Amino acid sequence: MANAGSRCLATTLSFFLVSAAILLKVQGQNLVTDNISVVEGEVAIISCRVRNNDDSVIQLLNPNRQTIYFKDVRPLKDGRFQLVNFTDNELRVSLSNVSLSDEGRYVCQLYTDPPQEAYADITVLVPPSPPILEARDDLVSEGNETELSCTAMGSKPAASIRWMKGPEELQGETMVEETYDHMFTVVSRLSLTVTREDDGVPIICIVDHPAVKDLQTQTYLEVQYKPEVKIIVEFPEGLTREGENLELTCKAKGKPQPQQINWVKLDDDVPSHAVIKGSDLLIENLNKSYNGTYRCVATNSVGESYDDYILYVYDVLTTTSVPTSKTPVPDGSRDSRAGEGAPQKMDHAVVGGVVAVVVFAMLCLLIVLGRYFARHKGTYFTHEAKGADDAADADTAIINAEGGHNNSDEKKEYYI
């Protein structure tokens, strides 16, 4: 009975030892492989690698678990599979002209006890066709909205679409549609309100996909806008004086170019002898009756705009220089240069200073004169008052006057 127990214990220990040895052997061999992404029509490389192989057989199976290669032998009759490398530690196989039907899980198998398996998933990428960019409007007027669409067809996986307006990235609305063959079509729509600065700016549709790089297309915005108008003083360079000539040029730019440029004078008629030739206005022999606001109006199919010039004719002897400003009037706004050409107002600080000095001088003079007259009133200085303080009465005061003069004929009077 004891012998039977000993034999049972020995058998159990042997089983555990063998199992442990097999497990250590399997763990020491470590079969590995990698997932693969490949563009349709290109070549995929499948690699089955073994560390510390003990002459165990390596084979490669397709997703249907059919043997592609057993060691260095290819049982499968598909010439697209070719042996690249075979050693005790690696089985490497190439698959050329990959198609969507080749997608799936491939199996690397190592004949051990128990067998080991590692899995390589092949993903086939299908690039989209060249993007199609369409614009709703060939021409758009400033301030209006336009829409563009960009389409990327027949890709796997679905592509993503980005928009650029010059250096600025914009966001569009994207719609993804899956077709019957598990391919994807992506459409992105972009809406934007345009300004005159957008004219000629490129709008770029960029398609991002792992199977392709630098896939994009572009178009250019065509924006129409009202004229930009600016009056240029050709002559004179400084003040406009009586007897001289005035020459103005109206610069107008728009899309389309202005078909018409007119000169008018606000609240009055342009002088009868003024010469208007195209965009130029010439007024000879200026006088003050020509003062006023002269307006250049430019018109195209989008609208009209104007710029104003305020004329003030100076006297011939006027020498004060007047700074000029030529601010354009956008979109018909009024009075862009009110005061240009008008007489320059005298500096109030200077006038105030002069007046203050004059007033101060006059006040000082009045004070001096006042004090002087206060001291020297129209008073009679006589000798009658001399000794009056000590006299008992008026007669005595007269007798006691200095010098004892009691004769009225000798009395002296001083008047200042």
Side-chain angles (χ1 to χ4, degrees), residues 150-155 158-161 174-177 184-188:
C150 186
T151 305
M153 302 175 61
S155 67
S160 61
I161 294 177
T174 301
M175 180 184 67
V176 180
E177 179 184 357
F184 295 90
T185 295
V186 181
V187 179
S188 180

Side-chain angles (χ1 to χ4, degrees), residues 109-124:
Q109 195 173 72
L110 182 65
Y111 272 93
T112 57
D113 188 13
Q116 293 186 58
E117 290 186 351
Y119 306 101
D121 291 325
I122 291 185
T123 302
V124 179

Side-chain angles (χ1 to χ4, degrees), residues 290-311:
Y290 299 155
N291 289 348
T293 301
Y294 292 80
R295 174 172 292 178
C296 171
V297 183
T299 308
N300 64 7
S301 60
V302 182
E304 71 174 30
S305 301
Y306 64 81
D307 190 19
D308 288 342
Y309 175 82
I310 300 176
L311 172 64

Side-chain angles (χ1 to χ4, degrees), residues 108-246:
C108 293
Q109 195 173 72
L110 182 65
Y111 272 93
T112 57
D113 188 13
Q116 293 186 58
E117 290 186 351
Y119 306 101
D121 291 325
I122 291 185
T123 302
V124 179
L125 307 176
V126 181
S129 57
I132 301 171
L133 180 57
E134 297 176 314
R136 184 183 66 190
D137 307 296
D138 293 332
L139 288 173
V140 59
S141 297
E142 63 175 336
N144 292 341
E145 185 179 82
T146 188
E147 182 178 283
L148 300 97
S149 67
C150 186
T151 305
M153 302 175 61
S155 67
K156 181 180 174 296
S160 61
I161 294 177
R162 295 182 290 122
W163 292 94
M164 299 291 293
K165 186 181 81 170
E168 178 186 3
E169 184 167 353
L170 304 177
Q171 294 295 326
E173 296 183 0
T174 301
M175 180 184 67
V176 180
E177 179 184 357
E178 185 176 0
T179 59
Y180 70 93
D181 53 355
H182 304 294
M183 307 291 278
F184 295 90
T185 295
V186 181
V187 179
S188 180
R189 289 184 171 85
L190 176 67
S191 297
L192 70 159
T193 301
V194 299
T195 64
R196 64 182 62 196
E197 289 77 17
D198 293 327
D199 183 48
V201 173
I203 300 293
I204 307 171
C205 168
I206 303 173
V207 178
D208 295 320
H209 193 272
V212 66
K213 294 181 179 180
D214 300 326
L215 188 60
Q216 64 182 40
T217 185
Q218 69 179 29
T219 187
Y220 293 89
L221 290 173
E222 293 285 339
V223 181
Q224 293 184 321
Y225 52 90
K226 292 190 291 186
E228 297 175 346
V229 184
K230 184 177 182 181
I231 296 176
I232 306 297
V233 180
E234 302 290 351
F235 185 85
E237 293 184 357
L239 299 178
T240 49
R241 295 184 174 87
E242 286 188 297
E244 293 185 347
N245 298 337
L246 173 66

